[in-house]
Amino acid sequence: MTPAELASVVLAAAHAVFEQRGLDRAALPASTVVERPRNPEHGDYASTLALQLSKKVGVPPRELAAALADELGRASGVKSVEIAGPGFLNIRLDAAAAGQLARVIVEAGAEYGRSDRLAGEKINLEFVSANPTGPVHIGGVRWAAVGDALSRLLRATGADVGTEYYFNDAGSQIDRFARSLLAAAKGEPAPEDGYGGAYIAEIATEVQSRRPEVRTLDDDAAQEVFRVEGVALMFDEIRSSLRDFGVEFDTYFNEKDLHDRGELDLALNRLRQQGHLYESEGATWLRTTDFGDDKDRVLRKSNGEWTYFAADCAYYLDKRERGFERVVIMLGADHHGYIGRMKAMAACFGDDPERNLEILIGQLVNLLRDGAPMRMSKRAGTVITLEDLVEAIGVDASRYALARYSSDSPIDIDIELWTRATRDNPVYYVQYVAARTAGVARNAAEVGLVPGDGDAFRPELLDHEKENELLKALAEFPAVVATAAELREPHRVARYLEESVAASYHRFYDNCRVLPLGDEEVTDLHRARLWLNNATRTVIANGLHLLGVSAPERM
């Protein structure tokens, strides 16, 4: 019996009690939940339904709890119900009802854990969005791992998600990039405000290979060639690096397109219609202080140039015009000051900034070697890049390490720890369970132990304490996925896989033998435990998939 099925049983019992007592059934909720008690000795599940309904119907909570317990005690699959405290219900399932979950999970396969919790929500999720002036640095890599995991979680809970990468290919940073390429091509040092690193020389060489005529052009014309070709090459490299990291975007959006299509003027006119623009000192301002910003923001300078914030406004409007009801943007730690102005901007467009715009801020990442932070990349010169991280610990460990922590916490990634083939390496610990469960299934087939069809499954035989513990851990998965999606916290999935599933499986494996010994005859208990083993493999694989990490069959 899954937690959702038990919740339905509890609600059905409440309907019966209300009918027996002539209570107003309008007070009953459409659904309820059951939870794991903190102390396993208190039962398999707990419900607070009696406490929730007591005031509504004027019945003391313990009296209502007693009636619910009596009704629940007669339900199929419920072994016992105890009343605790002011009216908590502690519920124990019989072994058959608890064990049946293994069959549910195996038969659901990749669908186990998915739900329609966020069905109907259309979400635009923008993450990474590194400037095309250099390789993706380690801060951007964090958003690549977390953002991709979040997109998978949102889709697994029914949301309609569009992932997006915003290329800032217009503005002064692109001019500095082009000047840096031109300087490298001429064998000169980078401009004072330019970009350094071996990658600049590499790109400059590639541009000259593609466009040899650039050597004959004057500086202004050559710089334009380096701008166009260099940005294109950097785009390609960034996309390729992310693809190798397992991250693909539905849309790659160029800032330059906003300018070329006149969308900044469109946004300006929309904001003027809303009554939030004014002119001062020859510039056009957006009155964001009306909505809590610390100061008003310039959209167009007195010399006619657009500001970066004007492009932000146009880009937000573009997303909303494409039908996205919620715009989620992931930004680095140095962008915390953007939250107020962006929320105010959404309000200026007439949106609800709490409903339509969500901004997530990620903290810094340090890569440690021998306990000391690595500061310099071999290629980028000034920052640690995606390639540096992957070269150091691999894709799976990188993605798991970056998604394992709350994004608002700084991370230190110790190379020695994350490359260690021991249980203190979190990704190894979880992937080892994936491999072990697959190995058990292979070895079972070799000795003629097969799970058989569902009708032959004897769930009531799974009555060992460690079997029950593992079943309860597996039952939590759908709720963990839903909560992680709603709170935008993929790290909950990683911690659940480690602390709940992997830990419980190791204890189960040590105490409950799945395979027959020697010439021992294959029994229904062996088959039942094989179902539980395979159910664990399903949950581990599904959870790792949500994090973009592989579930190996061998290690």
Side-chain angles (χ1 to χ4, degrees), residues 24-44:
D24 182 8
R25 286 196 286 180
L28 289 167
S31 61
T32 188
V33 295
V34 292
E35 300 173 339
R36 289 273 301 278
R38 292 181 180 177
N39 186 345
E41 295 180 1
H42 292 167
D44 297 323

Side-chain angles (χ1 to χ4, degrees), residues 458-514:
R458 298 282 303 282
E460 70 274 10
L461 298 177
L462 298 175
D463 58 0
H464 191 282
E465 175 189 358
K466 300 306 177 186
E467 293 164 344
N468 185 257
E469 178 187 329
L470 179 54
L471 283 162
K472 286 193 284 189
L474 301 180
E476 292 177 358
F477 185 54
V480 170
V481 172
T483 301
E486 290 177 339
L487 298 181
R488 318 302 193 231
E489 295 181 342
H491 71 274
R492 290 176 176 268
V493 174
R495 295 308 178 105
Y496 158 77
L497 293 177
E498 291 171 44
E499 299 165 8
S500 193
V501 180
S504 297
Y505 180 80
H506 284 303
R507 289 190 286 268
F508 158 75
Y509 185 86
D510 291 341
N511 289 274
C512 304
R513 185 164 185 83
V514 178

Side-chain angles (χ1 to χ4, degrees), residues 43-334:
D44 297 323
Y45 295 98
S47 171
T48 60
L49 188 60
L51 295 170
Q52 297 171 34
L53 297 175
S54 174
K55 286 186 178 180
K56 292 182 179 179
V57 295
V59 177
R62 281 190 67 89
E63 180 183 333
L64 188 55
L68 286 171
D70 185 58
E71 187 67 31
L72 267 175
R74 292 192 288 271
S76 174
V78 175
K79 182 179 180 180
S80 65
V81 185
E82 297 172 356
I83 304 167
F88 296 103
L89 295 173
N90 290 333
I91 305 166
R92 286 182 170 81
L93 303 180
D94 62 37
Q100 195 63 246
L101 178 67
R103 174 182 175 178
V104 170
I105 294 172
V106 172
E107 292 181 347
E111 292 299 306
Y112 183 67
R114 302 181 70 87
S115 70
D116 59 358
R117 190 81 160 259
L118 298 181
E121 288 206 31
K122 189 168 184 181
I123 300 172
N124 180 283
L125 178 62
E126 180 200 338
F127 56 101
V128 184
S129 293
N131 288 339
T133 54
V136 179
H137 62 75
I138 198 166
V141 182
R142 182 176 197 175
W143 277 138
V146 175
D148 188 62
L150 181 54
S151 72
R152 293 165 184 248
L153 283 164
L154 292 170
R155 286 168 175 149
T157 46
D160 179 1
V161 181
T163 57
E164 196 144 320
Y165 189 118
Y166 182 55
F167 277 116
N168 300 94
D169 59 341
S172 60
Q173 86 278 6
I174 298 299
D175 293 334
R176 296 199 303 272
F177 178 61
R179 291 201 307 274
S180 301
L181 294 175
L182 177 60
K186 295 167 69 174
E188 299 174 354
E192 187 175 339
D193 61 347
Y195 297 92
Y199 77 95
I200 290 291
E202 293 171 9
I203 293 174
T205 299
E206 179 63 22
V207 171
Q208 292 175 90
S209 175
R210 291 186 177 193
R211 299 282 299 274
E213 75 277 11
V214 73
R215 299 183 180 92
T216 66
L217 301 176
D218 61 52
D219 282 358
D220 288 344
Q223 182 174 315
E224 179 61 15
V225 171
F226 279 111
R227 186 191 70 78
V228 173
E229 297 291 343
V231 166
L233 285 167
M234 202 71 251
F235 275 0
D236 290 343
E237 179 174 328
I238 289 172
R239 292 177 67 164
S240 177
S241 296
L242 290 170
R243 188 181 305 115
D244 291 344
F245 197 59
V247 179
E248 290 271 15
F249 290 86
D250 299 319
T251 301
Y252 293 88
F253 195 103
N254 290 29
E255 179 188 351
K256 189 172 181 294
D257 290 342
L258 293 171
H259 293 264
D260 293 346
R261 296 196 299 248
E263 292 195 43
L264 278 78
D265 285 306
L266 179 66
L268 199 74
N269 292 336
R270 184 73 61 87
L271 291 167
R272 182 172 284 111
Q273 291 168 11
Q274 294 287 338
H276 300 299
L277 290 188
Y278 66 93
E279 306 293 326
S280 177
E281 300 177 350
T284 303
W285 297 70
L286 181 63
R287 193 177 285 106
T288 52
T289 51
D290 285 352
F291 298 98
D293 195 8
D294 58 345
K295 61 182 180 180
D296 292 340
R297 304 289 170 175
V298 177
L299 298 183
R300 201 166 207 166
K301 302 175 185 177
S302 57
N303 63 3
E305 291 182 2
W306 294 102
T307 63
Y308 284 122
F309 189 59
D312 289 337
C313 294
Y315 187 36
Y316 173 79
L317 181 60
D318 182 276
K319 290 176 178 179
R320 293 286 286 121
E321 292 289 298
R322 282 185 273 145
F324 291 105
E325 298 161 5
R326 186 183 291 270
V327 173
V328 181
I329 307 172
M330 296 179 157
L331 298 173
D334 56 343

